[in-house]
């Protein structure tokens, strides 16, 4: 049984793809939307300032275990997204999801099947404690 929300989203994207029929257009828009997601995150740091990025090289002990690495490696992000930045980033991720789904439609791929496949992949990696 397919996930209803996922299938509804994919169907709605298909219905609104009047201007994005060409695979070339969808590929270009997908790449652009990814860049816009990154730009919105950067703007939360450089324009708004609700988040800060503080990155540096971590010196990792040679005998560190996977559990140690999880504690030693961090996101380099501090602060909390303000409501405006959260909204901007969510909108850009949404547009990116739209074009990702549009690509699925053009290639006759099912978004939910991809979620399931990737989830199974992650579960295997989690079994090895690598996620
Ligand atoms: Zn902000």
């Amino acid at each position: 049984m397919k996930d209803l929300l996922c299938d509804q989203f994919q169907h709605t994207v298909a219905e609104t793809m009047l201007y994005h029929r060409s695979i070339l257009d969808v590929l270009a828009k997908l790449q652009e939307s990814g860049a816009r997601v990154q730009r919105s995150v950067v703007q939360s740091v450089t324009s708004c300032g609700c988040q800060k990025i503080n990155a540096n090289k971590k010196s990792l002990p040679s005998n560190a275990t996977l559990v140690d690495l999880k504690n030693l490696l961090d996101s380099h992000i501090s602060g909390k997204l303000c409501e405006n930045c959260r909204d901007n980033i969510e909108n850009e991720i949404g547009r990116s999801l739209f074009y990702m789904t549009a690509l699925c439609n053009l290639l006759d791929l099912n978004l939910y099947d991809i979620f399931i496949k990737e989830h199974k992949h992650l579960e295997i990696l989690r079994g090895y404690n690598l996620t």
Side-chain angles (χ1 to χ4, degrees):
M1 187 170 118
K2 300 289 183 192
D3 180 79
L4 194 56
L5 178 62
C6 223
D7 279 356
Q8 284 176 339
F9 182 73
Q10 190 160 4
H11 181 72
T12 304
V13 168
E15 286 183 335
T16 59
M17 283 182 58
L18 288 174
Y19 301 109
H20 306 291
R21 292 258 179 232
S22 165
I23 186 90
L24 296 174
D25 188 33
V26 169
L27 288 171
K29 290 289 191 180
L30 177 59
Q31 185 175 25
E32 180 187 334
S33 69
R36 290 181 62 94
V37 169
Q38 294 172 33
R39 182 170 166 259
S40 66
V41 173
V42 169
Q43 284 182 324
S44 73
V45 175
T46 59
S47 294
C48 178
C50 61
Q51 291 199 112
K52 292 183 177 14
I53 296 174
N54 185 7
N56 53 12
K57 182 178 179 354
K58 293 279 183 187
S59 56
L60 302 173
S62 59
N63 62 347
T65 65
L66 288 175
V67 174
D68 294 336
L69 291 178
K70 276 187 175 180
N71 294 326
L72 291 169
L73 299 173
D74 67 43
S75 69
H76 303 127
I77 299 172
S78 62
K80 187 170 170 40
L81 285 175
C82 71
E83 196 172 316
N84 187 47
C85 290
R86 173 179 296 277
D87 192 48
N88 287 340
I89 294 169
E90 286 177 346
N91 288 339
E92 297 300 347
I93 289 173
R95 291 307 292 168
S96 193
L97 284 173
F98 174 89
Y99 288 112
M100 188 67 73
T101 306
L103 180 62
C104 290
N105 286 339
L106 289 177
L107 299 176
D108 197 25
L109 301 172
N110 183 275
L111 188 61
Y112 184 66
D113 289 344
I114 295 170
F115 272 121
I116 295 297
K117 191 174 184 179
E118 186 62 21
H119 187 242
K120 284 180 182 169
H121 226 151
L122 291 173
E123 284 183 328
I124 291 168
L125 287 177
R126 187 176 61 185
Y128 290 104
N129 216 359
L130 296 175
T131 54

